[in-house]
C-alpha cells in the first residue's frame, strides 16, 4: 500500500493544485454573479452568464471527482461504469425543463 | 491507487475480467460506496431537476435574485451579496482537501497524519453546518419559510420597494439544502466514528485504512453536491 | 350465501385434485421408472390442443364482440386513431400468429424422445441480424405514421373553433360555454370559487357576462371544437370514448384538446338502431370515491339546432345576479385609474 | 496481486469461519438473522408468497364487486368488517384501497422483492462461484428493511382510515388529500427502496468482484446477466422515486406546494403556490417504467436458463441476448413519460418518448425469436418448469405486442387508462413474470430444499393458470378498445361501459378459479418443503451451471472444498455428442468455443 516518497509528494502536489483551481474558479463565479445586480432581467446576457456558470461548475465537479475522489487514477472501465449512467439524467433534465416551460405557458393561458 | 497500479502490473488489462479477481482492482467495499454515491447522485439530481422544472414553471420574471436574498453576513449585516455563501463553499472545499490528505496519510499507514487531517475534516464539517444553521435562521427570521414566500427590498436595504417571490423558492431552498445538510450531518457522524476507530488503532490492527478512504469518498460526494446546489441557488 | 357455497365447492374440488396429484406422483415414485417420454408427449399434445382451441376461441371472440370494440368513431381524428390502430393490429397480428404457432408447435414437435439428439446450434449471425432489422423497419414505419397523426391531433385548433370549458371536480364536471359572443370569460382564480361562482369566473371580464353553465355537452356537427380542461381539486381526465378524445384535467394548469364531431346523435341512433343511444363523457383518472359516477351526456346536433340551443340558455351571471351587484362597483374603481374594464385583475 | 485476491481470500476465510461455527447455530442465527444468501433468498421467497396471497385475494374481492355489482357480501364481514356498507355491498373507498394495495403489493412486494430478491440472492453466488454475497451483513439488512416495509404495509391494512386509496401510482393531489393510510404507504415504500438499494449494491459488486476463476462476464449464465441489469436499474431508478416521495411527504406534512396549486376541495379553498402534479408523474414514472423491467428481466433470465437446460440445447444467440438485456436497460430510462401521453405534457416531448418506446420492441423481439430458436430442434423435456417457461414466452408475446399499441401516442389517446392497458401489463409483467417465477422455483427447488415439488399438481396449476390468464385478460382488450376505464367501482352509470356486464361476471368467475389454483400451488410449495420426494443426485436436471456442482444441501459457503474453476460457457448442451458438459470441464484439445462453431450445414 505504501507509496514511494516521490509518488506521495506527487499526489500531494496534485491535491493542492486542484484546491487552488477550485478556489479560483469559485471566486471568479461569485465575482461574475455580482453582475446580476445590474443585468438580472436581461435575458440574453443572463443566458450567456448561465452557460458560463454551468461550465465553471462542471470544471469544479471534474476536479472533485477526478482528483479528490481519485477517479482519474482508477481503471478506465470503472470510471465508465460510474459516469455513463449520468447520461440518463441529461435526458431527464432536458425533458423536465421543456415540461417546465410548457407548464408555464399553460398556466399563463388564463393569466 | 496502489491496488490499481499493482494489479495492472500483475495482469494485463485483457484478462482482468476472467474471474478470480476484481476487474477494477478495487475491493468490493469501495466499489459499493461508489455505486451507492451514484445512486444517491440520482436522488440529488432528481431534486435539482425538479427545482429547474418548477423555476421554469413559475417563470424567470418573478424568481428572486440571489444577490438580494443572500446578502447578509454575521455581525456585518446586509449588503454583502454571496459573501457568506462563498465562505461556506470554501469551508467545504477545504474540509474536502483535508479529507484527501487523511486518505493519503492512511495509505502511508501514518496514524498520526490521519488523526490530524481527519480531525480537521470533522471541524470543517461542523463549521459548515454551523454556517448553514445561521443562514437558515437568518432567512427564517426574514420571513422565508416553507409556507411563506421570500421577500426583500428591491433597491437594497431601506429602499422600501418590496419584492415578493414565489412560495416555491423557499420550499425548494429548504428542501434541497436541508437534504444536503442531512448528508453533511451523516458525514460528520460517520467521520467521527471512523476518527475514534483511528485513534483506538482499529485500522492499524487491520493493516489498512480502507475505511478512511470509503468515508472520504462520501465526504467528497457531499462537496460535489454542494457545487451543484451552489450553482442552482446562488449563481443562476 | 350462494357465494359461500361456491367457495366451499371450489375448496372441495381443490382437495380432491390435491389427493389425485399426490397419489399419481406417489405411484410414479413406487413404480420407480419415470416415463419422461410419455409425460412429454401428453403435455406436448396438450400444448397443441391449447394452440388450436386458443385460436378458435380467439376468432370466435372477435366475431362475438364485433362492433363493440372500437365503436364507430364520431370525430375526424378518431378515424386517424383507428387507422393507426388497425395498422398496428395488422403487423402485430402477423407476428402474434406466427410466433405463437412456432412456439407451441416446436414445443410439441421437438418434445423429449430417448433417441432424439438436440442440435448444437448456438449462433447464427444472419438470422439474428434479420430479426433485428425487420422489426426495426416495421417499427420505423409505425413511428412515422403514428407521429404524423399525433402532430395533426395535437396541433393548434383552427381560428373558427367553438370553445367550451370543462372543469373536473370531485365528483362532477362543470361545463361552461362562452355564450353568444363566442368568447369565454377569464377566470379570476380559485379563491373566488363560491356557490354562486362555481369555477371562479372573473366578473370584471365583459366576455364573462353571457357565459352559461350547461348541464350536458351540446355541440354542432362538422365544426372544430376546443375543450379547455381544468380541474379544481385532483387530477381528472376528460374522456369521450366515441370521439377518441382523452386529456387529463390537471389542477393549476389548463390543458386543451380540439376535435371535429362528424356525426350527430340522431344519425348515430339511426345507424345503431338504438333509440336510447347517447354519447358519454367519463372520467378516466382515478379521482376518489365517486370516480365512476362522473358522467355527462354528449349531444351532437346540427349547427342550426346548436345556435338555437345557445340562444335559449340563461347566462350564469344572470342566474347568480353577478353583474347587478358587482359590475357598477368595479366600473367606479376603474374610472379612477383609467384602466379598461377587462384589465387583468386578480 | 495479493490485494486483489483479498476479496476471494476473505470469503474463503469467512466460509471456513462459518463452517466452524455451524455447531453453534441456533434457530435465530440459522433461520432469522442469517447471513447465508440461500436462507435470505428463502426468506424473500416466503415473504413474497405471503404478500402474493394477500394481493391476489384483494383482486378476488374487487373482482367480486366488478363481476357481481351490488352483490351481498355480508358473509365477508368477518374479514372486511367496516368496509362493507350496511346493505352488504363494498364501500367505494375500500374498492379504491383494494386496487391500490393489489398494485403496490404485487408490483413491489411480490414481483420485485419476491422475484429478484429471491433469485438474485439464491443464484448469484451459486452460479458465479462465490461463497456468499460480497457483504453478507448488508444482504441480511436488505431483507430486514424489506421486512420492516412489509410490517408497516401490513399495519396500514388495519388503521381506521384504511390503507392508501390513491392507486399504486399515488398521484397527487389525490394522494395529498388522503389520510394516514397514505402516510404509512409512503413510509413503507421508503424502507422498501432502502432494501432494494442495499440488495442491488450487493448484487452488482458480487457479480463484478467475486466471480470464480475462469468465470468471465461472457461465461455467466443469462440469469446472472438479467439479475445484474435488474440490480442496475433498481439502483438508478429508485432514488428518483425517493426524491419524488420526499417532495410528496413535505407537501402532505410541511405545507409545501411542489405538486399543488390553488385547489378547491369540498368547497374549501386551499391557498397553495404554483406546483405541478405532472412533476410527480415524471418523477414517479422515472422509476415506474424501469420498475416493469425490474419485474420482467429476472423472469427472462430464468426462462432462458430453463428452456436451454430442458431442451438440452444452447441458448440461441447468447451475446444477442445479453446485448438486448443491456439495450432494454438503457432504453428503460428514456421512455418513462409514455405513461403520460394524455397528462397534458408537451406534445413534442411526447413524440420523443414515442420514438424511444417503440425502439424497445426491437430487443424484445430479438429475445422472443431467440427463445423460439432455442427450442427449435431441441429435445425438450416438458417438465413443469419447461411448461411454465413456454407459458412465459407465449404471454410475453401476447402482452409485448399490445405494448406497440400503447407506446404509440396516437393510439394511446383512446387506450390510456382503460382495460386495454390493464390487460397489457397484467399479461406481460403480471402473469408472464409469475410464470417465470414459477419456472424458477420449480427448477431450483431441489437446490433450495433438497426435495422436488409435486409434478402432477404443478401441471394442473400450470394449465389452469395459462388458460385462466388468457380467459381473464384477453376479453379485457375488447373492453379497453371500447373505452371502459380502469379503476371503476361500477359501470352502471354508463351505457357504453355497462354493456360488458356479462363479460365482467365471466372474468370474475375465472379469476376466482385461477386464484384457487394459486392456493394449490402454495400448498404444493409448503407440502414439498417438508414432504416432497427427496433429491438423490446433485444434478437432477442435467444442467451445466455451477450451482449443481454443490452438495445436495449446500451449507453456508456453498462448496465444501475449493470453489470449482470454470472453463467454458454455461450452454454446452449436445456438443460433440455429450448431452451436457458442465462449466467445470476443461476444453478439449482443439475444441471450438461457441462463437466459433460454424452453423449446421442443413438448416431446415
Amino acid at each position: 500500500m505504501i507509496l514511494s516518497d516521490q509518488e506521495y509528494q506527487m499526489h500531494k502536489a496534485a491535491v493542492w493544485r486542484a484546491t487552488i483551481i477550485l478556489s479560483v474558479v469559485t471566486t471568479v463565479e461569485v465575482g461574475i454573479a455580482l453582475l446580476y445586480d445590474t443585468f438580472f432581467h436581461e435575458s440574453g446576457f443572463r443566458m450567456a452568464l448561465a452557460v458560463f456558470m454551468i461550465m465553471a461548475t462542471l470544471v469544479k465537479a471534474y476536479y472533485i471527482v477526478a482528483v479528490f475522489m481519485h477517479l482519474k487514477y482508477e481503471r478506465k472501465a470503472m470510471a465508465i461504469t460510474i459516469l455513463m449512467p449520468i447520461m440518463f439524467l441529461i435526458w431527464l433534465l432536458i425533458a423536465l425543463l421543456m415540461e417546465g416551460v410548457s407548464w408555464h405557458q399553460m398556466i399563463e393561458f388564463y393569466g | 491507487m496502489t491496488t490499481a497500479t499493482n494489479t495492472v502490473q500483475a495482469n494485463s488489462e485483457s484478462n482482468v475480467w476472467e474471474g478470480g479477481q476484481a476487474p477494477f482492482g478495487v475491493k468490493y467495499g469501495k466499489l459499493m460506496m461508489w455505486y451507492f454515491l451514484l445512486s444517491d447522485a440520482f436522488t440529488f439530481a432528481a431534486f435539482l431537476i425538479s427545482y429547474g422544472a418548477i423555476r421554469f414553471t413559475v417563470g424567470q420574471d418573478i424568481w428572486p435574485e440571489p444577490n438580494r436574498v443572500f446578502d447578509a453576513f454575521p455581525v456585518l449585516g446586509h449588503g454583502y451579496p454571496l459573501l457568506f455563501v462563498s465562505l461556506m463553499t470554501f469551508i467545504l472545499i477545504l474540509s474536502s482537501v483535508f479529507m484527501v490528505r487523511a486518505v493519503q496519510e492512511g495509505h502511508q499507514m501514518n496514524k498520526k497524519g490521519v488523526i490530524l487531517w481527519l480531525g480537521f475534516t470533522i471541524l470543517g464539517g461542523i463549521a459548515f453546518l454551523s454556517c448553514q444553521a445561521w443562514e437558515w435562521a437568518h432567512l427564517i427570521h426574514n420571513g422565508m419559510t416553507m409556507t411563506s414566500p421570500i421577500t426583500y427590498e428591491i433597491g437594497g436595504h431601506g429602499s422600501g420597494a418590496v419584492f415578493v417571490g414565489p412560495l416555491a423558492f423557499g420550499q425548494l431552498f429548504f428542501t434541497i439544502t436541508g437534504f444536503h445538510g442531512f448528508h453533511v450531518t451523516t458525514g460528520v457522524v460517520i467521520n467521527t466514528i471512523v476518527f475514534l476507530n483511528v485513534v483506538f488503532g482499529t485500522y492499524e490492527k487491520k493493516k489498512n485504512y480502507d475505511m478512511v478512504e470509503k468515508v472520504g469518498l462520501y465526504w467528497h460526494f457531499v462537496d460535489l453536491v454542494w457545487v451543484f446546489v451552489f450553482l442552482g441557488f446562488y449563481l443562476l | 350465501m350462494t357465494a359461500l357455497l361456491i367457495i366451499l365447492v371450489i375448496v372441495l374440488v381443490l382437495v380432491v385434485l390435491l389427493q389425485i396429484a399426490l397419489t399419481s406422483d406417489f405411484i410414479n415414485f413406487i413404480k420407480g421408472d419415470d416415463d419422461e417420454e410419455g409425460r412429454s408427449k401428453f403435455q406436448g399434445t396438450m400444448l397443441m390442443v391449447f394452440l388450436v382451441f386458443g385460436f378458435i376461441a380467439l376468432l370466435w371472440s372477435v366475431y362475438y364482440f364485433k362492433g363493440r370494440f372500437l365503436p364507430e368513431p364520431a370525430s375526424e381524428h378518431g378515424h386517424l386513431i383507428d387507422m393507426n390502430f388497425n395498422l398496428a393490429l395488422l403487423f402485430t397480428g402477423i407476428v402474434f400468429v406466427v410466433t405463437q404457432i412456432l412456439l407451441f408447435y416446436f414445443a410439441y414437435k421437438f418434445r423429449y424422445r430417448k433417441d432424439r439428439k438436440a442440435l448444437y446450434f448456438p449462433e447464427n449471425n444472419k438470422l439474428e441480424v434479420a430479426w433485428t432489422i425487420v422489426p426495426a423497419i416495421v417499427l420505423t414505419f409505425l413511428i412515422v405514421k403514428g407521429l404524423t397523426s399525433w402532430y395533426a391531433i395535437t396541433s393548434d385548433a383552427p381560428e373558427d373553433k367553438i370553445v367550451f370549458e370543462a372543469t373536473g371536480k370531485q365528483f362532477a364536471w362543470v361545463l361552461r360555454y362562452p355564450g353568444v359572443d363566442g368568447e369565454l370569460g377569464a377566470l379570476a382564480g380559485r379563491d373566488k370559487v363560491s356557490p354562486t361562482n362555481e369555477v371562479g369566473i372573473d366578473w370584471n371580464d365583459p366576455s364573462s357576462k353571457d357565459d352559461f353553465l350547461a348541464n350536458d355537452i351540446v355541440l354542432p356537427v362538422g365544426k372544430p371544437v376546443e375543450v379547455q380542461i381544468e380541474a379544481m381539486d385532483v387530477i381528472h381526465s376528460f374522456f369521450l370514448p366515441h370521439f377518441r378524445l382523452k386529456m387529463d384535467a390537471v389542477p393549476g394548469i389548463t390543458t386543451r384538446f380540439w376535435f371535429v364531431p362528424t356525426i350527430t346523435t340522431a344519425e348515430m341512433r339511426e345507424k345503431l338502431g338504438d333509440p336510447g343511444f347517447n354519447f358519454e363523457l367519463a372520467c378516466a383518472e382515478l379521482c376518489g370515491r365517486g370516480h365512476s359516477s362522473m358522467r355527462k351526456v354528449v349531444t351532437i346536433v346540427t349547427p342550426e339546432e346548436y345556435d338555437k340551443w345557445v340562444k335559449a340558455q340563461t347566462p350564469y351571471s344572470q342566474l347568480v345576479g353577478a353583474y347587478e351587484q358587482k359590475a357598477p362597483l368595479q366600473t367606479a374603481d376603474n374610472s379612477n385609474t383609467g384602466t379598461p374594464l377587462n384589465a387583468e385583475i386578480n | 496481486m495479493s490485494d486483489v485476491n483479498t476479496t476471494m481470500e476473505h470469503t474463503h476465510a469467512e466460509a471456513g469461519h462459518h463452517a466452524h461455527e455451524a455447531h453453534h447455530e441456533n434457530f435465530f442465527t440459522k433461520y432469522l438473522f442469517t447471513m447465508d444468501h440461500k436462507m435470505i433468498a428463502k426468506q424473500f421467497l416466503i415473504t413474497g408468497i405471503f404478500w402474493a396471497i394477500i394481493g391476489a385475494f384483494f383482486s378476488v374481492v374487487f373482482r367480486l364487486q366488478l363481476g357481481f355489482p351490488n352483490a351481498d357480501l355480508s358473509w365477508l364481514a368477518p374479514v372486511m368488517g367496516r368496509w362493507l356498507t350496511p346493505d352488504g355491498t363494498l364501500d367505494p373507498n375500500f374498492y379504491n384501497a383494494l386496487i391500490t394495495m393489489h398494485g403496490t403489493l404485487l408490483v413491489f412486494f411480490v414481483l420485485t422483492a419476491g422475484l429478484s430478491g429471491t433469485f438474485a440472492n439464491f443464484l448469484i453466488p451459486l452460479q458465479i462461484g462465490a461463497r456468499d454475497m460480497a457483504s453478507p451483513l448488508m444482504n441480511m439488512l436488505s431483507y430486514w428493511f424489506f421486512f420492516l416495509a412489509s410490517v408497516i404495509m401490513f399495519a396500514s391494512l388495519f388503521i381506521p382510515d384504511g390503507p392508501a386509496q390513491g392507486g399504486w401510482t399515488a398521484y397527487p393531489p389525490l394522494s395529498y388529500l388522503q389520510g394516514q393510510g397514505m402516510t404509512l404507504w409512503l413510509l413503507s415504500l421508503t424502507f422498501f427502496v432502502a432494501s432494494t438499494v442495499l440488495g442491488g449494491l450487493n448484487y452488482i459488486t458480487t457479480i463484478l468482484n467475486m466471480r470464480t476463476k475462469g468465470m468471465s462476464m461472457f461465461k455467466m449464465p443469462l440469469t446472472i446477466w438479467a439479475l445484474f441489469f435488474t440490480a442496475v436499474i433498481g439502483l438508478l431508478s429508485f432514488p428518483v422515486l425517493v426524491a419524488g416521495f420526499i417532495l410528496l411527504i413535505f407537501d402532505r406534512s410541511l405545507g409545501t406546494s411542489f405538486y399543488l396549486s390553488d385547489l378547491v376541495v369540498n368547497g374549501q379553498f386551499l391557498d397553495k403556490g404554483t406546483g405541478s402534479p405532472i412533476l410527480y408523474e415524471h418523477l414517479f414514472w422515472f422509476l415506474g417504467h424501469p420498475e416493469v423491467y425490474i419485474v420482467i428481466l429476472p423472469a427472462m433470465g430464468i426462462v432462458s436458463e430453463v428452456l436451454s437446460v430442458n431442451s438440452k440445447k444452447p441458448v440461441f444467440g447468447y451475446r444477442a441476448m445479453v446485448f438486448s438485456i443491456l439495450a432494454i436497460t438503457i432504453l428503460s430510462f428514456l421512455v418513462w413519460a409514455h405513461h403520460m401521453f394524455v397528462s397534458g405534457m408537451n406534445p413534442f416531448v411526447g413524440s420523443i418518448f414515442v420514438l424511444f418506446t417503440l425502439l424497445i420492441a426491437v430487443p424484445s423481439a430479438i429475445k422472443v425469436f431467440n427463445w423460439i430458436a432455442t427450442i427449435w430442434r431441441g429435445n425438450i423435456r416438458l417438465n413443469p418448469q419447461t411448461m411454465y417457461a413456454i407459458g412465459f414466452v407465449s404471454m410475453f408475446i401476447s402482452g409485448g405486442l399490445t405494448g406497440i399499441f400503447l407506446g404509440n401516442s396516437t393510439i394511446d389517446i383512446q387506450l390510456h387508462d382503460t382495460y386495454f392497458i390493464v390487460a397489457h401489463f397484467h399479461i406481460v409483467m403480471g402473469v408472464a413474470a409469475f410464470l417465470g417465477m414459477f419456472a424458477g422455483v420449480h427448477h431450483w427447488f431441489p437446490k433450495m430444499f433438497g426435495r422436488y415439488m409435486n409434478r402432477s399438481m404443478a401441471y394442473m396449476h400450470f394449465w389452469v393458470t395459462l388458460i385462466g390468464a388468457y380467459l381473464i385478460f384477453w376479453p379485457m382488450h375488447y373492453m379497453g378498445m371500447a373505452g371502459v376505464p380502469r379503476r371503476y367501482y361500477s359501470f352502471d352509470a354508463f351505457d357504453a361501459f355497462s354493456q360488458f356486464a356479462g363479460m365482467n361476471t365471466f372474468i370474475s368467475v375465472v379469476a376466482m378459479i385461477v386464484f384457487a389454483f394459486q392456493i394449490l400451488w402454495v400448498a404444493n410449495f409448503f407440502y414439498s418443503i417438508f414432504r416432497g420426494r427427496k433429491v438423490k443426485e446433485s444434478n437432477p436436471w442435467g444442467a451445466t451451471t455451477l450451482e449443481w456442482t454443490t452438495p445436495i444441501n449446500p451449507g453456508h459457503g456453498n462448496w465444501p472444498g475449493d470453489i470449482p474453476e470454470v472453463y467454458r460457457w454455461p450452454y454446452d448442451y449436445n456438443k460433440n455428442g455429450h448431452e451436457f458438459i458442465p462449466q467445470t470441464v476443461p476444453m478439449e484439445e482443439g475444441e471450438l468455443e461457441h462463437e466459433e462453431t460454424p452453423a449446421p450445414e442443413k438448416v431446415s
Side-chain angles (χ1 to χ4, degrees), chain D residues 73-86:
Chain D
L73 300 181
S74 44
W75 53 276
L76 270 173
V79 201
M80 298 291 161
R82 61 181 171 279
W83 290 106
L84 300 170
T85 54

Side-chain angles (χ1 to χ4, degrees), chain B residues 138-158:
Chain B
H138 173 79
L139 287 168
I140 292 169
H141 179 73
N142 279 6
M144 178 168 102
T145 65
M146 284 289 206
T147 46
S148 61
I150 168 81
T151 52
Y152 59 80
E153 286 160 275
I154 295 171
H157 207 60

Side-chain angles (χ1 to χ4, degrees), chain C residues 92-202:
Chain C
T92 55
I94 294 170
V95 178
F96 175 79
V97 171
V98 171
T99 48
Q100 295 281 13
I101 289 178
L102 288 183
L103 174 72
F104 284 98
Y105 176 68
F106 285 167
Y108 164 76
K109 174 92 194 293
F110 302 110
R111 65 183 185 272
Y112 175 73
R113 285 214 206 105
K114 273 200 184 87
D115 51 348
R116 199 201 294 281
K117 276 267 166 261
L119 178 72
Y120 186 73
F121 183 41
E123 309 256 339
N124 185 321
N125 285 338
K126 265 187 216 151
L127 269 178
E128 285 167 65
V129 169
W131 60 52
T132 311
I133 289 179
V134 172
I137 291 171
V138 172
L139 285 166
T140 316
F141 177 68
L142 287 177
I143 291 170
V144 170
K145 273 279 177 199
L147 288 186
T148 325
S149 314
W150 172 247
Y151 284 127
I153 293 168
T154 56
S155 61
D156 285 340
E159 280 300 306
D160 61 336
K161 67 200 169 190
I162 292 170
V163 179
F164 78 99
E165 181 194 76
T167 308
K169 62 174 192 179
Q170 287 173 333
F171 298 97
W173 294 98
V174 182
L175 305 165
R176 184 162 68 111
Y177 275 75
V180 203
D181 67 349
E183 221 168 290
L184 274 172
L187 291 181
R190 294 283 183 236
D191 49 336
K192 302 286 189 296
V193 172
S194 70
T196 54
N197 191 352
E198 275 199 58
V199 290
I201 300 166
D202 181 2

Side-chain angles (χ1 to χ4, degrees), chain A residues 16-31 60 64 68, chain B residues 73 81-99 120-121 123-129 131-132 180 219 222-223 226-227 230 234-235:
Chain A
W16 291 117
R17 199 165 52 238
T19 314
I20 289 166
I21 291 170
L22 287 177
S23 311
V24 170
V25 174
T26 308
T27 316
V28 171
E29 275 182 335
V30 172
K60 289 193 330 189
I64 292 175
F68 288 2
Chain B
F73 201 89
L82 299 185
L83 187 60
F84 188 62
V85 75
S86 312
L87 176 72
M88 285 166 72
T89 309
F90 279 117
I91 291 173
L92 205 57
I93 288 177
L94 273 184
S95 169
S96 215
V97 176
F98 298 152
M99 186 47 117
F120 279 138
T121 309
L123 288 182
I126 292 170
F128 178 84
L129 283 174
C131 289
Q132 198 169 35
H180 177 259
W219 194 251
V222 169
D223 189 21
W226 180 253
V227 166
F230 188 62
Y234 304 99
L235 295 181

Side-chain angles (χ1 to χ4, degrees), chain D residues 552-568:
Chain D
I552 289 173
N553 282 310
H556 195 176
N558 297 342
W559 285 270
D562 287 341
I563 300 181
E565 201 170 319
V566 165
Y567 300 96
R568 53 177 75 234

Side-chain angles (χ1 to χ4, degrees), chain D residues 379-577:
Chain D
N379 192 13
I380 309 163
R381 286 166 173 81
L382 290 170
N383 290 325
Q385 65 263 43
T386 328
M387 302 299 278
Y388 286 122
I390 289 167
F392 168 92
V393 179
S394 169
M395 280 286 168
F396 186 72
I397 294 169
S398 307
L401 286 172
T402 49
I404 290 173
F405 296 81
L406 294 160
N408 189 329
S409 54
T410 312
I411 308 175
D412 190 59
I413 294 173
Q414 172 72 355
L415 301 180
H416 180 81
D417 260 339
T418 64
Y419 269 85
F420 193 92
I421 174 80
V422 174
H424 162 70
F425 71 71
H426 273 95
I427 288 181
V428 78
M429 70 176 254
V431 181
F434 260 107
L435 288 172
M437 188 166 163
F438 291 136
V441 172
H442 273 265
H443 191 72
W444 282 289
F445 198 85
K447 190 86 281 172
M448 283 186 185
F449 299 102
R451 291 172 189 267
Y452 292 103
M453 280 183 83
N454 185 300
R455 204 161 49 204
S456 309
M457 258 196 262
Y459 281 131
M460 263 193 275
H461 167 256
F462 165 75
W463 280 110
V464 174
T465 309
L466 184 75
I467 296 170
Y470 270 120
L471 288 181
I472 292 168
F473 296 114
W474 196 266
M476 284 189 186
H477 290 110
Y478 303 141
M479 294 168 69
M481 284 150 75
V484 181
R486 65 195 279 213
R487 294 169 169 175
Y488 261 37
Y489 168 72
S490 155
F491 301 110
D492 293 347
F494 294 84
D495 303 335
F497 307 152
S498 58
Q499 57 169 324
F500 292 102
M503 185 135 76
N504 269 323
T505 313
F506 171 74
I507 291 173
S508 295
V509 171
V510 180
M512 277 177 255
I513 295 171
V514 172
F515 174 70
F517 273 80
Q518 306 314 306
I519 301 295
L520 179 78
W521 186 86
V522 175
N524 184 4
F525 179 81
F526 286 108
Y527 174 85
S528 304
I529 290 178
F530 300 108
R531 304 284 299 277
R533 197 154 49 85
K534 276 197 171 151
V535 176
K536 294 270 169 29
E537 67 245 281
S538 65
N539 188 359
W541 313 120
T544 57
T545 39
L546 282 182
E547 75 270 31
W548 306 106
T549 61
T550 59
I552 289 173
N553 282 310
H556 195 176
N558 297 342
W559 285 270
D562 287 341
I563 300 181
E565 201 170 319
V566 165
Y567 300 96
R568 53 177 75 234
W569 78 319
Y571 298 111
D572 268 345
Y573 292 103
N574 274 302
K575 191 185 189 187
N576 304 336

